Amino acid sequence: MNQEILAALEQARAAKRPVVLATALPGGEQRLLPDPQAPAALNEAAEAVLQSDESGTHKIDGQDWFLHAYNPPLRLIVVGAVHIAQALAPFATQCGFAVTVVDPRRSFASDERFPNVAISNEWPDEAMEAFAPDSRTAVVTLTHDPKLDDPALDRALKSNAFYIGALGSRRTHAARLKRLRELGHGEEALARIRGPVGLNIEAVTAPEIGLSVIAEIVAVRRNAPLPPKTPA
Amino acid sequence: MSQPLGEVEDVLSTAAAWRAAGELVAVATVTETWGSSPRPAGSQLAVTKSGRMAGSVSGGCIEGAVAEAAMKTIESGVPQLLDFGVTHERAWEVGLACGGKVKVFVEKLS
């Protein structure tokens, strides 16, 4: 890989712009896609690779190309700068998520409690508006406080977030669903919320709960079969 | 300084940082897999002439052979497309015991 290509690739990644590094095999000629100068078939294949987020070798016009997808990091928005969020954030970072913790309570959402994690002290509805969750975003609410969690869940349900999870017991969750119904969300939308949040690993401690949450996020992202949540 | 996001899998940034610090670096990338190979296409292993390694292209079965090939590419500057699989004699030697097959592209960071 020459310096020019490497610099352009690093620049695209720093700008969080999705790109594909195309390498002709076995010779090694390389180019970044999309590129208006490139053949349309190559650009189309690159677009498909970015959409599926699956790098691979493709034969295009008789030439083998390895198309390496460089998508921006997945995002995780955690509402509630609580103890479980402290445990969840490093797991999620390790799994490749750019984590933002949202909590207007500044004593909770402090740099000291969340080193190396982006923090927003906005109210969840404003923060969610600014983040505009997309299909590469997971949203988890952890506060138990309806006035913080509900607006975040309401916005998440109106987005394409691939995962929505809400901490709380079955009873808390049933009450939460009732409130969200009153905001106009239908059953199909509400079924998107994973509650109680996390895989059932009988987690007790904050790190164990953090682990169960990130495990469920990964499972949903990778289309693993998951048992339905037991209704309240 | 905070670690780059997704740092565990961000082998290319590590390789680029090593290169910027004056190391001679090759990057190996899984380009195709068949069967039960443990790492998907796009997985990377960076190797320096001085012997540093980051990332992986298998569950540890072929890293040694890939690192050896990387040394050659660092010397020659010529990329290589390596083929590992159960039908490949070399793979038996290095032990791709999972029964999968992988192709690995090795290139120098110039």
Side-chain angles (χ1 to χ4, degrees):
Chain A
M1 192 184 307
N2 66 36
Q3 265 176 336
E4 216 176 302
I5 293 269
L6 180 61
L9 177 55
E10 295 283 270
Q11 206 180 353
R13 295 173 74 200
K16 301 200 177 355
R17 196 170 70 243
V19 288
V20 165
L21 174 65
T23 303
L25 298 177
E29 179 211 331
Q30 289 175 320
R31 63 192 306 168
L32 274 194
L33 302 170
D35 173 1
Q37 314 287 323
L42 208 47
N43 279 327
E44 280 162 25
E47 184 52 40
V49 161
L50 286 173
Q51 283 299 323
S52 67
D53 205 19
E54 279 180 20
S55 305
T57 301
H58 299 260
K59 200 181 262 310
I60 296 156
D61 295 333
Q63 167 69 54
D64 276 338
W65 288 94
F66 177 61
L67 301 179
H68 197 166
Y70 285 93
N71 270 312
L74 298 157
R75 296 187 299 167
L76 170 62
I77 300 168
V78 181
V79 176
V82 297
H83 189 193
I84 292 166
Q86 287 178 282
L88 172 59
F91 284 137
T93 304
Q94 286 281 299
C95 289
F97 286 81
V99 182
T100 302
V101 175
V102 179
D103 202 319
R105 303 167 297 182
R106 284 170 197 274
S107 54
F108 282 84
S110 69
D111 287 330
E112 191 188 14
R113 282 165 56 84
F114 291 91
N116 302 325
V117 171
I119 289 172
S120 165
N121 291 124
E122 286 182 293
W123 281 86
D125 47 352
E126 290 162 4
M128 293 288 287
E129 214 67 58
F131 284 122
D134 58 15
S135 60
R136 294 177 53 79
T137 307
V139 179
V140 175
T141 62
L142 297 176
T143 72
H144 287 107
D145 182 343
K147 75 177 180 296
L148 292 170
D149 283 356
D150 286 8
L153 291 169
D154 176 46
R155 296 302 193 283
L157 287 172
K158 290 172 182 162
S159 79
N160 287 328
F162 75 89
Y163 176 95
I164 305 171
L167 184 75
S169 67
R170 285 191 184 87
R171 203 190 319 172
T172 306
H173 190 59
R176 172 187 294 136
L177 293 181
K178 188 162 174 282
R179 292 193 305 273
L180 289 168
R181 249 175 234 123
E182 281 159 14
L183 287 176
H185 293 289
E187 294 313 306
E188 202 177 317
L190 293 176
R192 289 172 65 198
I193 305 176
R194 308 283 313 175
V197 73
L199 285 190
N200 183 4
I201 56 170
E202 302 293 342
V204 173
T205 66
E208 287 172 2
I209 295 167
L211 179 65
S212 85
V213 173
I214 191 64
E216 188 171 71
I217 292 172
V218 171
V220 168
R221 167 153 164 71
R222 301 295 186 194
N223 294 317
L226 287 174
K229 301 278 185 188
T230 320
Chain B
M1 204 181 90
S2 66
Q3 292 290 325
L5 295 159
E7 175 251 347
V8 172
E9 283 289 315
D10 195 356
V11 175
L12 188 63
S13 292
T14 304
W18 283 346
R19 182 71 197 92
E23 296 257 27
L24 295 172
V25 187
V27 175
T29 307
V30 175
T31 61
E32 263 184 283
T33 68
W34 298 263
S36 57
S37 41
R39 303 301 325 277
S43 303
Q44 292 185 310
L45 172 73
V47 181
T48 69
K49 190 163 192 250
S50 60
R52 297 163 94 176
M53 285 208 275
S56 66
V57 288
S58 77
C61 330
I62 59 169
E63 269 71 8
V66 171
E68 216 174 280
M71 290 301 167
K72 281 186 196 141
T73 286
I74 288 172
E75 289 294 331
S76 67
V78 180
Q80 302 173 63
L81 186 59
L82 310 173
D83 211 334
F84 294 96
V86 287
T87 55
H88 196 296
E89 259 174 46
R90 181 104 189 254
W92 281 116
E93 277 171 39
V94 298
L96 197 58
C98 51
K101 291 209 289 182
V102 289
K103 276 191 184 177
V104 179
F105 181 71
V106 184
E107 64 188 311
K108 185 178 182 179
L109 285 195
S110 58

